[in-house]
Amino acid sequence: MPGLNVLVGIGALLFPFALRRPRTWLSPAIGIVWGLAGLAFLIFGGLNYFTHIGLIVNAM
């Protein structure tokens, strides 16, 4: 989980520099970093939902 926050933080730190010159290498790099972090958060959320003990208890 801290690694996901690091990915989002790296993208957030690079974002203002990408706004200054949007046609540089920073824009695709930010997209890749945020895309990977978003996909990891999505997978984590799905696994957390389907494996949480509260879901199992309430389903019975």
Side-chain angles (χ1 to χ4, degrees):
M1 205 56 188
L4 294 177
N5 291 330
V6 168
L7 284 176
V8 174
I10 289 171
L13 288 175
L14 294 176
F15 187 69
F17 299 108
L19 288 179
R20 186 179 305 166
R21 291 186 220 147
R23 298 283 182 210
T24 61
W25 61 273
L26 282 177
S27 295
I30 292 170
I32 290 170
V33 168
W34 278 349
L36 289 174
L39 184 63
F41 273 120
L42 183 70
I43 292 170
F44 174 77
L47 289 174
N48 192 30
Y49 177 77
F50 287 110
T51 60
H52 195 271
I53 189 65
L55 179 69
I56 298 169
V57 170
N58 290 331
M60 291 183 173

